[in-house]
Amino acid sequence: MRIGIYPGSFDPVTQGHLDIILRASKLVDKLIIGVLINGAKKPMFSMEERVELIRRVTKDLPNVEVEGFDGLLVDFAQQKGASVLVRGLRAVTDFEYELQIAQTNHKLNPLVDTIFLTTSVEYSYVSSSIVREIASYGGDISQFVPESIVDDIYKKAGEDKSSARISGRN
Ligand code: ADP
């Protein structure tokens, strides 16, 4: 059985991510979406919340699972018996960084290979950070993220704003 892992922060999951998930799920027998516990910067959504949102938008895809993970991606892949890592490429600017990561991961574990799916043109400019930014100003995010999670994002963006006001941040 060919198992693939699609790793990322998914803070929050966008239509661009979902497009990659749909296409990657057809290339492997099982696709595990690995949600990074990102120690470096504080995410908008906790790991548990990001996992829950992705589960909601992938509930009709029977060979897709969602899990949080910490530590090295190649270790997570080994633990899950995965031989394929999936990444999305939006633009040339993604390429240099992604190439470096893919080569490093292959060096760390030669049994694991990375495949890149190029974004569908209609989503090439969509990113989680742009969605967070638009939501924080109350702008329309409905065309960038799956409909079932739109309200969760506005709610969280509202909470972030009021906690920033209380703590004096802006
Ligand atoms: P990161 O792992 O850099 O924190 P993200 O969670 O934003 O990234 O994205 C996870 C993966 O999805 C990456 O491979 C990224 O290139 C890809 N991706 C992000 N947005 C899109 C998009 N709009 N179209 C296609 N792929 C995307």
PDB file of all heavy atoms in Angstrom, residues 6-11 14-17 19-20 23 36 38 41 86-90 94 97-98 117-120 123-128, ligand 1:
ATOM      1  N   TYR A   6       1.095  14.635   3.315  1.00  0.00           N
ATOM      2  CA  TYR A   6       1.079  16.035   2.871  1.00  0.00           C
ATOM      3  C   TYR A   6       1.244  16.882   4.132  1.00  0.00           C
ATOM      4  O   TYR A   6       0.299  17.046   4.901  1.00  0.00           O
ATOM      5  CB  TYR A   6      -0.254  16.324   2.166  1.00  0.00           C
ATOM      6  CG  TYR A   6      -0.435  17.753   1.683  1.00  0.00           C
ATOM      7  CD1 TYR A   6       0.622  18.542   1.255  1.00  0.00           C
ATOM      8  CD2 TYR A   6      -1.708  18.312   1.637  1.00  0.00           C
ATOM      9  CE1 TYR A   6       0.430  19.840   0.805  1.00  0.00           C
ATOM     10  CE2 TYR A   6      -1.920  19.617   1.179  1.00  0.00           C
ATOM     11  CZ  TYR A   6      -0.838  20.370   0.766  1.00  0.00           C
ATOM     12  OH  TYR A   6      -1.030  21.662   0.335  1.00  0.00           O
ATOM     13  N   PRO A   7       2.466  17.382   4.356  1.00  0.00           N
ATOM     14  CA  PRO A   7       2.717  18.131   5.587  1.00  0.00           C
ATOM     15  C   PRO A   7       2.523  19.632   5.397  1.00  0.00           C
ATOM     16  O   PRO A   7       2.674  20.150   4.289  1.00  0.00           O
ATOM     17  CB  PRO A   7       4.193  17.843   5.859  1.00  0.00           C
ATOM     18  CG  PRO A   7       4.785  17.741   4.479  1.00  0.00           C
ATOM     19  CD  PRO A   7       3.703  17.225   3.564  1.00  0.00           C
ATOM     20  N   GLY A   8       2.204  20.318   6.464  1.00  0.00           N
ATOM     21  CA  GLY A   8       2.094  21.779   6.380  1.00  0.00           C
ATOM     22  C   GLY A   8       1.561  22.356   7.673  1.00  0.00           C
ATOM     23  O   GLY A   8       1.243  21.617   8.615  1.00  0.00           O
ATOM     24  N   SER A   9       1.464  23.679   7.692  1.00  0.00           N
ATOM     25  CA  SER A   9       0.915  24.352   8.873  1.00  0.00           C
ATOM     26  C   SER A   9      -0.612  24.436   8.781  1.00  0.00           C
ATOM     27  O   SER A   9      -1.310  24.330   9.786  1.00  0.00           O
ATOM     28  CB  SER A   9       1.464  25.775   8.993  1.00  0.00           C
ATOM     29  OG  SER A   9       2.846  25.788   8.850  1.00  0.00           O
ATOM     30  N   PHE A  10      -1.122  24.679   7.570  1.00  0.00           N
ATOM     31  CA  PHE A  10      -2.573  24.732   7.330  1.00  0.00           C
ATOM     32  C   PHE A  10      -3.275  25.639   8.349  1.00  0.00           C
ATOM     33  O   PHE A  10      -4.211  25.226   9.028  1.00  0.00           O
ATOM     34  CB  PHE A  10      -3.190  23.329   7.367  1.00  0.00           C
ATOM     35  CG  PHE A  10      -2.519  22.355   6.445  1.00  0.00           C
ATOM     36  CD1 PHE A  10      -1.665  21.367   6.947  1.00  0.00           C
ATOM     37  CD2 PHE A  10      -2.705  22.425   5.072  1.00  0.00           C
ATOM     38  CE1 PHE A  10      -1.024  20.468   6.095  1.00  0.00           C
ATOM     39  CE2 PHE A  10      -2.077  21.533   4.210  1.00  0.00           C
ATOM     40  CZ  PHE A  10      -1.239  20.549   4.724  1.00  0.00           C
ATOM     41  N   ASP A  11      -2.798  26.884   8.449  1.00  0.00           N
ATOM     42  CA  ASP A  11      -3.291  27.810   9.478  1.00  0.00           C
ATOM     43  C   ASP A  11      -3.976  29.021   8.857  1.00  0.00           C
ATOM     44  O   ASP A  11      -3.423  30.115   8.875  1.00  0.00           O
ATOM     45  CB  ASP A  11      -2.110  28.245  10.356  1.00  0.00           C
ATOM     46  CG  ASP A  11      -2.539  29.098  11.535  1.00  0.00           C
ATOM     47  OD1 ASP A  11      -3.634  28.831  12.066  1.00  0.00           O
ATOM     48  OD2 ASP A  11      -1.793  30.003  11.938  1.00  0.00           O
ATOM     49  N   THR A  14      -6.751  26.136   3.101  1.00  0.00           N
ATOM     50  CA  THR A  14      -7.338  26.993   2.051  1.00  0.00           C
ATOM     51  C   THR A  14      -7.830  26.135   0.878  1.00  0.00           C
ATOM     52  O   THR A  14      -7.570  24.930   0.820  1.00  0.00           O
ATOM     53  CB  THR A  14      -6.284  27.978   1.498  1.00  0.00           C
ATOM     54  OG1 THR A  14      -5.275  27.208   0.812  1.00  0.00           O
ATOM     55  CG2 THR A  14      -5.641  28.810   2.590  1.00  0.00           C
ATOM     56  N   GLN A  15      -8.465  26.806  -0.082  1.00  0.00           N
ATOM     57  CA  GLN A  15      -8.887  26.098  -1.308  1.00  0.00           C
ATOM     58  C   GLN A  15      -7.667  25.555  -2.049  1.00  0.00           C
ATOM     59  O   GLN A  15      -7.746  24.528  -2.708  1.00  0.00           O
ATOM     60  CB  GLN A  15      -9.638  27.049  -2.249  1.00  0.00           C
ATOM     61  CG  GLN A  15     -10.972  27.523  -1.729  1.00  0.00           C
ATOM     62  CD  GLN A  15     -12.049  26.448  -1.781  1.00  0.00           C
ATOM     63  OE1 GLN A  15     -11.776  25.250  -1.777  1.00  0.00           O
ATOM     64  NE2 GLN A  15     -13.284  26.872  -1.823  1.00  0.00           N
ATOM     65  N   GLY A  16      -6.532  26.277  -1.955  1.00  0.00           N
ATOM     66  CA  GLY A  16      -5.295  25.811  -2.593  1.00  0.00           C
ATOM     67  C   GLY A  16      -4.829  24.493  -1.992  1.00  0.00           C
ATOM     68  O   GLY A  16      -4.474  23.555  -2.707  1.00  0.00           O
ATOM     69  N   HIS A  17      -4.837  24.422  -0.649  1.00  0.00           N
ATOM     70  CA  HIS A  17      -4.485  23.165   0.016  1.00  0.00           C
ATOM     71  C   HIS A  17      -5.452  22.052  -0.394  1.00  0.00           C
ATOM     72  O   HIS A  17      -5.045  20.931  -0.691  1.00  0.00           O
ATOM     73  CB  HIS A  17      -4.568  23.317   1.542  1.00  0.00           C
ATOM     74  CG  HIS A  17      -3.572  24.260   2.141  1.00  0.00           C
ATOM     75  ND1 HIS A  17      -3.922  25.221   3.057  1.00  0.00           N
ATOM     76  CD2 HIS A  17      -2.235  24.396   1.963  1.00  0.00           C
ATOM     77  CE1 HIS A  17      -2.844  25.890   3.440  1.00  0.00           C
ATOM     78  NE2 HIS A  17      -1.802  25.427   2.777  1.00  0.00           N
ATOM     79  N   ASP A  19      -7.237  21.674  -2.995  1.00  0.00           N
ATOM     80  CA  ASP A  19      -6.987  21.252  -4.369  1.00  0.00           C
ATOM     81  C   ASP A  19      -5.835  20.222  -4.417  1.00  0.00           C
ATOM     82  O   ASP A  19      -5.945  19.181  -5.079  1.00  0.00           O
ATOM     83  CB  ASP A  19      -6.652  22.504  -5.200  1.00  0.00           C
ATOM     84  CG  ASP A  19      -6.257  22.194  -6.619  1.00  0.00           C
ATOM     85  OD1 ASP A  19      -7.042  21.532  -7.313  1.00  0.00           O
ATOM     86  OD2 ASP A  19      -5.154  22.600  -7.033  1.00  0.00           O
ATOM     87  N   ILE A  20      -4.767  20.515  -3.674  1.00  0.00           N
ATOM     88  CA  ILE A  20      -3.630  19.579  -3.634  1.00  0.00           C
ATOM     89  C   ILE A  20      -4.064  18.266  -2.967  1.00  0.00           C
ATOM     90  O   ILE A  20      -3.719  17.172  -3.415  1.00  0.00           O
ATOM     91  CB  ILE A  20      -2.429  20.202  -2.857  1.00  0.00           C
ATOM     92  CG1 ILE A  20      -1.937  21.488  -3.546  1.00  0.00           C
ATOM     93  CG2 ILE A  20      -1.292  19.183  -2.688  1.00  0.00           C
ATOM     94  CD1 ILE A  20      -1.164  21.305  -4.822  1.00  0.00           C
ATOM     95  N   ARG A  23      -6.128  16.116  -5.380  1.00  0.00           N
ATOM     96  CA  ARG A  23      -5.321  15.528  -6.452  1.00  0.00           C
ATOM     97  C   ARG A  23      -4.345  14.490  -5.911  1.00  0.00           C
ATOM     98  O   ARG A  23      -4.182  13.415  -6.496  1.00  0.00           O
ATOM     99  CB  ARG A  23      -4.606  16.637  -7.226  1.00  0.00           C
ATOM    100  CG  ARG A  23      -5.604  17.452  -8.063  1.00  0.00           C
ATOM    101  CD  ARG A  23      -5.107  18.846  -8.356  1.00  0.00           C
ATOM    102  NE  ARG A  23      -3.844  18.827  -9.058  1.00  0.00           N
ATOM    103  CZ  ARG A  23      -2.985  19.862  -9.079  1.00  0.00           C
ATOM    104  NH1 ARG A  23      -3.270  20.968  -8.437  1.00  0.00           N
ATOM    105  NH2 ARG A  23      -1.877  19.775  -9.742  1.00  0.00           N
ATOM    106  N   LEU A  36       1.613  20.411  11.245  1.00  0.00           N
ATOM    107  CA  LEU A  36       2.787  20.760  12.045  1.00  0.00           C
ATOM    108  C   LEU A  36       2.434  21.483  13.341  1.00  0.00           C
ATOM    109  O   LEU A  36       1.666  22.434  13.326  1.00  0.00           O
ATOM    110  CB  LEU A  36       3.647  21.738  11.248  1.00  0.00           C
ATOM    111  CG  LEU A  36       4.707  21.165  10.345  1.00  0.00           C
ATOM    112  CD1 LEU A  36       5.144  22.244   9.368  1.00  0.00           C
ATOM    113  CD2 LEU A  36       5.882  20.714  11.189  1.00  0.00           C
ATOM    114  N   ASN A  38       3.848  23.980  15.152  1.00  0.00           N
ATOM    115  CA  ASN A  38       4.919  24.927  14.823  1.00  0.00           C
ATOM    116  C   ASN A  38       5.366  25.687  16.066  1.00  0.00           C
ATOM    117  O   ASN A  38       4.676  26.571  16.537  1.00  0.00           O
ATOM    118  CB  ASN A  38       4.419  25.897  13.741  1.00  0.00           C
ATOM    119  CG  ASN A  38       5.539  26.726  13.184  1.00  0.00           C
ATOM    120  OD1 ASN A  38       6.613  26.804  13.784  1.00  0.00           O
ATOM    121  ND2 ASN A  38       5.308  27.338  12.048  1.00  0.00           N
ATOM    122  N   LYS A  41       6.453  30.101  15.613  1.00  0.00           N
ATOM    123  CA  LYS A  41       5.578  31.259  15.757  1.00  0.00           C
ATOM    124  C   LYS A  41       4.186  30.812  16.199  1.00  0.00           C
ATOM    125  O   LYS A  41       3.791  29.677  15.959  1.00  0.00           O
ATOM    126  CB  LYS A  41       5.502  32.020  14.434  1.00  0.00           C
ATOM    127  CG  LYS A  41       5.105  31.130  13.285  1.00  0.00           C
ATOM    128  CD  LYS A  41       4.987  31.885  11.999  1.00  0.00           C
ATOM    129  CE  LYS A  41       4.395  30.936  10.993  1.00  0.00           C
ATOM    130  NZ  LYS A  41       4.570  31.080   9.663  1.00  0.00           N
ATOM    131  N   VAL A  86       4.250  14.846  -0.115  1.00  0.00           N
ATOM    132  CA  VAL A  86       3.618  15.688  -1.134  1.00  0.00           C
ATOM    133  C   VAL A  86       3.773  17.150  -0.725  1.00  0.00           C
ATOM    134  O   VAL A  86       3.515  17.504   0.434  1.00  0.00           O
ATOM    135  CB  VAL A  86       2.103  15.371  -1.240  1.00  0.00           C
ATOM    136  CG1 VAL A  86       1.433  16.293  -2.257  1.00  0.00           C
ATOM    137  CG2 VAL A  86       1.878  13.911  -1.590  1.00  0.00           C
ATOM    138  N   ARG A  87       4.215  17.979  -1.669  1.00  0.00           N
ATOM    139  CA  ARG A  87       4.241  19.419  -1.426  1.00  0.00           C
ATOM    140  C   ARG A  87       3.635  20.129  -2.620  1.00  0.00           C
ATOM    141  O   ARG A  87       3.669  19.625  -3.738  1.00  0.00           O
ATOM    142  CB  ARG A  87       5.676  19.913  -1.204  1.00  0.00           C
ATOM    143  CG  ARG A  87       6.329  19.382   0.059  1.00  0.00           C
ATOM    144  CD  ARG A  87       5.798  19.999   1.325  1.00  0.00           C
ATOM    145  NE  ARG A  87       6.242  21.373   1.518  1.00  0.00           N
ATOM    146  CZ  ARG A  87       5.827  22.162   2.511  1.00  0.00           C
ATOM    147  NH1 ARG A  87       4.935  21.720   3.384  1.00  0.00           N
ATOM    148  NH2 ARG A  87       6.283  23.382   2.631  1.00  0.00           N
ATOM    149  N   GLY A  88       3.095  21.299  -2.375  1.00  0.00           N
ATOM    150  CA  GLY A  88       2.513  22.085  -3.459  1.00  0.00           C
ATOM    151  C   GLY A  88       3.480  23.186  -3.866  1.00  0.00           C
ATOM    152  O   GLY A  88       4.151  23.762  -3.020  1.00  0.00           O
ATOM    153  N   LEU A  89       3.556  23.449  -5.153  1.00  0.00           N
ATOM    154  CA  LEU A  89       4.376  24.565  -5.636  1.00  0.00           C
ATOM    155  C   LEU A  89       3.456  25.610  -6.244  1.00  0.00           C
ATOM    156  O   LEU A  89       2.719  25.331  -7.179  1.00  0.00           O
ATOM    157  CB  LEU A  89       5.362  24.090  -6.700  1.00  0.00           C
ATOM    158  CG  LEU A  89       6.555  23.264  -6.250  1.00  0.00           C
ATOM    159  CD1 LEU A  89       7.387  22.859  -7.460  1.00  0.00           C
ATOM    160  CD2 LEU A  89       7.416  24.009  -5.247  1.00  0.00           C
ATOM    161  N   ARG A  90       3.527  26.817  -5.689  1.00  0.00           N
ATOM    162  CA  ARG A  90       2.682  27.895  -6.192  1.00  0.00           C
ATOM    163  C   ARG A  90       3.389  28.706  -7.263  1.00  0.00           C
ATOM    164  O   ARG A  90       2.817  29.090  -8.251  1.00  0.00           O
ATOM    165  CB  ARG A  90       2.287  28.834  -5.049  1.00  0.00           C
ATOM    166  CG  ARG A  90       1.108  28.350  -4.285  1.00  0.00           C
ATOM    167  CD  ARG A  90       0.963  29.119  -3.014  1.00  0.00           C
ATOM    168  NE  ARG A  90       2.066  28.815  -2.099  1.00  0.00           N
ATOM    169  CZ  ARG A  90       2.113  29.202  -0.850  1.00  0.00           C
ATOM    170  NH1 ARG A  90       1.156  29.943  -0.364  1.00  0.00           N
ATOM    171  NH2 ARG A  90       3.114  28.862  -0.078  1.00  0.00           N
ATOM    172  N   ASP A  94       8.628  29.511  -4.450  1.00  0.00           N
ATOM    173  CA  ASP A  94       8.541  28.361  -3.536  1.00  0.00           C
ATOM    174  C   ASP A  94       9.661  27.358  -3.814  1.00  0.00           C
ATOM    175  O   ASP A  94      10.033  26.575  -2.943  1.00  0.00           O
ATOM    176  CB  ASP A  94       7.211  27.593  -3.745  1.00  0.00           C
ATOM    177  CG  ASP A  94       6.024  28.264  -3.076  1.00  0.00           C
ATOM    178  OD1 ASP A  94       6.235  29.082  -2.172  1.00  0.00           O
ATOM    179  OD2 ASP A  94       4.879  27.956  -3.476  1.00  0.00           O
ATOM    180  N   TYR A  97      13.421  26.864  -1.790  1.00  0.00           N
ATOM    181  CA  TYR A  97      13.245  26.365  -0.427  1.00  0.00           C
ATOM    182  C   TYR A  97      12.772  24.907  -0.451  1.00  0.00           C
ATOM    183  O   TYR A  97      13.305  24.044   0.255  1.00  0.00           O
ATOM    184  CB  TYR A  97      12.233  27.266   0.279  1.00  0.00           C
ATOM    185  CG  TYR A  97      11.810  26.806   1.639  1.00  0.00           C
ATOM    186  CD1 TYR A  97      12.675  26.903   2.723  1.00  0.00           C
ATOM    187  CD2 TYR A  97      10.539  26.282   1.854  1.00  0.00           C
ATOM    188  CE1 TYR A  97      12.289  26.478   3.983  1.00  0.00           C
ATOM    189  CE2 TYR A  97      10.137  25.855   3.105  1.00  0.00           C
ATOM    190  CZ  TYR A  97      11.016  25.960   4.169  1.00  0.00           C
ATOM    191  OH  TYR A  97      10.619  25.531   5.409  1.00  0.00           O
ATOM    192  N   GLU A  98      11.798  24.628  -1.286  1.00  0.00           N
ATOM    193  CA  GLU A  98      11.232  23.279  -1.351  1.00  0.00           C
ATOM    194  C   GLU A  98      12.259  22.257  -1.841  1.00  0.00           C
ATOM    195  O   GLU A  98      12.298  21.125  -1.365  1.00  0.00           O
ATOM    196  CB  GLU A  98      10.001  23.257  -2.268  1.00  0.00           C
ATOM    197  CG  GLU A  98       8.805  24.026  -1.729  1.00  0.00           C
ATOM    198  CD  GLU A  98       8.187  23.402  -0.471  1.00  0.00           C
ATOM    199  OE1 GLU A  98       8.459  22.224  -0.179  1.00  0.00           O
ATOM    200  OE2 GLU A  98       7.454  24.115   0.216  1.00  0.00           O
ATOM    201  N   LEU A 117       3.242  18.881  -6.538  1.00  0.00           N
ATOM    202  CA  LEU A 117       2.108  19.143  -7.412  1.00  0.00           C
ATOM    203  C   LEU A 117       2.056  20.648  -7.628  1.00  0.00           C
ATOM    204  O   LEU A 117       2.153  21.427  -6.670  1.00  0.00           O
ATOM    205  CB  LEU A 117       0.806  18.662  -6.772  1.00  0.00           C
ATOM    206  CG  LEU A 117       0.698  17.154  -6.540  1.00  0.00           C
ATOM    207  CD1 LEU A 117      -0.678  16.799  -5.983  1.00  0.00           C
ATOM    208  CD2 LEU A 117       0.935  16.384  -7.830  1.00  0.00           C
ATOM    209  N   THR A 118       1.928  21.035  -8.880  1.00  0.00           N
ATOM    210  CA  THR A 118       1.843  22.474  -9.148  1.00  0.00           C
ATOM    211  C   THR A 118       0.406  22.919  -8.911  1.00  0.00           C
ATOM    212  O   THR A 118      -0.547  22.201  -9.215  1.00  0.00           O
ATOM    213  CB  THR A 118       2.266  22.793 -10.591  1.00  0.00           C
ATOM    214  OG1 THR A 118       1.558  21.935 -11.470  1.00  0.00           O
ATOM    215  CG2 THR A 118       3.753  22.606 -10.778  1.00  0.00           C
ATOM    216  N   THR A 119       0.298  24.096  -8.349  1.00  0.00           N
ATOM    217  CA  THR A 119      -1.021  24.601  -7.990  1.00  0.00           C
ATOM    218  C   THR A 119      -1.906  24.805  -9.221  1.00  0.00           C
ATOM    219  O   THR A 119      -1.409  25.116 -10.297  1.00  0.00           O
ATOM    220  CB  THR A 119      -0.857  25.936  -7.232  1.00  0.00           C
ATOM    221  OG1 THR A 119      -2.124  26.443  -6.934  1.00  0.00           O
ATOM    222  CG2 THR A 119      -0.124  26.964  -8.044  1.00  0.00           C
ATOM    223  N   SER A 120      -3.201  24.647  -9.027  1.00  0.00           N
ATOM    224  CA  SER A 120      -4.133  25.015 -10.096  1.00  0.00           C
ATOM    225  C   SER A 120      -4.120  26.540 -10.182  1.00  0.00           C
ATOM    226  O   SER A 120      -4.106  27.216  -9.144  1.00  0.00           O
ATOM    227  CB  SER A 120      -5.542  24.540  -9.757  1.00  0.00           C
ATOM    228  OG  SER A 120      -5.549  23.142  -9.641  1.00  0.00           O
ATOM    229  N   TYR A 123      -5.820  29.060  -7.856  1.00  0.00           N
ATOM    230  CA  TYR A 123      -5.471  29.170  -6.440  1.00  0.00           C
ATOM    231  C   TYR A 123      -4.017  29.562  -6.222  1.00  0.00           C
ATOM    232  O   TYR A 123      -3.522  29.541  -5.105  1.00  0.00           O
ATOM    233  CB  TYR A 123      -5.720  27.830  -5.731  1.00  0.00           C
ATOM    234  CG  TYR A 123      -7.125  27.334  -5.874  1.00  0.00           C
ATOM    235  CD1 TYR A 123      -7.383  26.057  -6.367  1.00  0.00           C
ATOM    236  CD2 TYR A 123      -8.199  28.147  -5.516  1.00  0.00           C
ATOM    237  CE1 TYR A 123      -8.689  25.604  -6.508  1.00  0.00           C
ATOM    238  CE2 TYR A 123      -9.491  27.696  -5.662  1.00  0.00           C
ATOM    239  CZ  TYR A 123      -9.727  26.421  -6.157  1.00  0.00           C
ATOM    240  OH  TYR A 123     -11.010  25.980  -6.293  1.00  0.00           O
ATOM    241  N   SER A 124      -3.319  29.931  -7.278  1.00  0.00           N
ATOM    242  CA  SER A 124      -1.867  30.101  -7.166  1.00  0.00           C
ATOM    243  C   SER A 124      -1.480  31.241  -6.221  1.00  0.00           C
ATOM    244  O   SER A 124      -0.397  31.245  -5.662  1.00  0.00           O
ATOM    245  CB  SER A 124      -1.248  30.329  -8.542  1.00  0.00           C
ATOM    246  OG  SER A 124      -1.814  31.472  -9.112  1.00  0.00           O
ATOM    247  N   TYR A 125      -2.361  32.189  -6.023  1.00  0.00           N
ATOM    248  CA  TYR A 125      -2.028  33.338  -5.161  1.00  0.00           C
ATOM    249  C   TYR A 125      -2.579  33.179  -3.747  1.00  0.00           C
ATOM    250  O   TYR A 125      -2.359  34.031  -2.890  1.00  0.00           O
ATOM    251  CB  TYR A 125      -2.598  34.625  -5.798  1.00  0.00           C
ATOM    252  CG  TYR A 125      -4.091  34.539  -5.953  1.00  0.00           C
ATOM    253  CD1 TYR A 125      -4.929  35.006  -4.945  1.00  0.00           C
ATOM    254  CD2 TYR A 125      -4.652  33.913  -7.073  1.00  0.00           C
ATOM    255  CE1 TYR A 125      -6.292  34.853  -5.056  1.00  0.00           C
ATOM    256  CE2 TYR A 125      -6.013  33.765  -7.182  1.00  0.00           C
ATOM    257  CZ  TYR A 125      -6.826  34.236  -6.178  1.00  0.00           C
ATOM    258  OH  TYR A 125      -8.179  34.065  -6.278  1.00  0.00           O
ATOM    259  N   VAL A 126      -3.320  32.080  -3.488  1.00  0.00           N
ATOM    260  CA  VAL A 126      -3.972  31.922  -2.182  1.00  0.00           C
ATOM    261  C   VAL A 126      -2.975  31.398  -1.151  1.00  0.00           C
ATOM    262  O   VAL A 126      -2.258  30.436  -1.410  1.00  0.00           O
ATOM    263  CB  VAL A 126      -5.152  30.924  -2.283  1.00  0.00           C
ATOM    264  CG1 VAL A 126      -5.804  30.735  -0.925  1.00  0.00           C
ATOM    265  CG2 VAL A 126      -6.168  31.394  -3.306  1.00  0.00           C
ATOM    266  N   SER A 127      -2.923  32.054  -0.003  1.00  0.00           N
ATOM    267  CA  SER A 127      -2.086  31.541   1.085  1.00  0.00           C
ATOM    268  C   SER A 127      -2.824  31.729   2.407  1.00  0.00           C
ATOM    269  O   SER A 127      -3.703  32.589   2.532  1.00  0.00           O
ATOM    270  CB  SER A 127      -0.747  32.282   1.129  1.00  0.00           C
ATOM    271  OG  SER A 127      -0.952  33.606   1.575  1.00  0.00           O
ATOM    272  N   SER A 128      -2.435  30.906   3.396  1.00  0.00           N
ATOM    273  CA  SER A 128      -3.064  31.019   4.718  1.00  0.00           C
ATOM    274  C   SER A 128      -2.844  32.412   5.293  1.00  0.00           C
ATOM    275  O   SER A 128      -3.741  32.985   5.914  1.00  0.00           O
ATOM    276  CB  SER A 128      -2.473  29.982   5.672  1.00  0.00           C
ATOM    277  OG  SER A 128      -2.735  28.688   5.212  1.00  0.00           O
TER     278      SER A 128
HETATM  279  P1  ADP B   1       4.175  25.564   5.337  1.00  0.00           P
HETATM  280  O1  ADP B   1       4.460  24.115   5.297  1.00  0.00           O
HETATM  281  O2  ADP B   1       5.166  26.368   4.545  1.00  0.00           O
HETATM  282  O3  ADP B   1       3.833  26.132   6.670  1.00  0.00           O
HETATM  283  P2  ADP B   1       1.419  25.740   4.341  1.00  0.00           P
HETATM  284  O4  ADP B   1       0.707  25.100   5.452  1.00  0.00           O
HETATM  285  O5  ADP B   1       0.979  27.128   3.985  1.00  0.00           O
HETATM  286  O6  ADP B   1       2.934  25.762   4.442  1.00  0.00           O
HETATM  287  O7  ADP B   1       1.299  24.863   3.014  1.00  0.00           O
HETATM  288  C1  ADP B   1       1.561  23.491   3.004  1.00  0.00           C
HETATM  289  C2  ADP B   1       1.859  23.053   1.571  1.00  0.00           C
HETATM  290  O8  ADP B   1       0.817  23.471   0.711  1.00  0.00           O
HETATM  291  C3  ADP B   1       3.132  23.625   0.959  1.00  0.00           C
HETATM  292  O9  ADP B   1       3.684  22.636   0.129  1.00  0.00           O
HETATM  293  C4  ADP B   1       2.651  24.788   0.143  1.00  0.00           C
HETATM  294  O10 ADP B   1       3.527  25.067  -0.937  1.00  0.00           O
HETATM  295  C5  ADP B   1       1.339  24.240  -0.357  1.00  0.00           C
HETATM  296  N1  ADP B   1       0.394  25.303  -0.667  1.00  0.00           N
HETATM  297  C6  ADP B   1       0.032  26.359   0.083  1.00  0.00           C
HETATM  298  N2  ADP B   1      -0.863  27.142  -0.537  1.00  0.00           N
HETATM  299  C7  ADP B   1      -1.083  26.559  -1.749  1.00  0.00           C
HETATM  300  C8  ADP B   1      -1.887  26.906  -2.887  1.00  0.00           C
HETATM  301  N3  ADP B   1      -2.618  28.015  -2.911  1.00  0.00           N
HETATM  302  N4  ADP B   1      -1.846  26.061  -3.949  1.00  0.00           N
HETATM  303  C9  ADP B   1      -1.083  24.968  -3.919  1.00  0.00           C
HETATM  304  N5  ADP B   1      -0.293  24.607  -2.899  1.00  0.00           N
HETATM  305  C10 ADP B   1      -0.288  25.387  -1.827  1.00  0.00           C
END
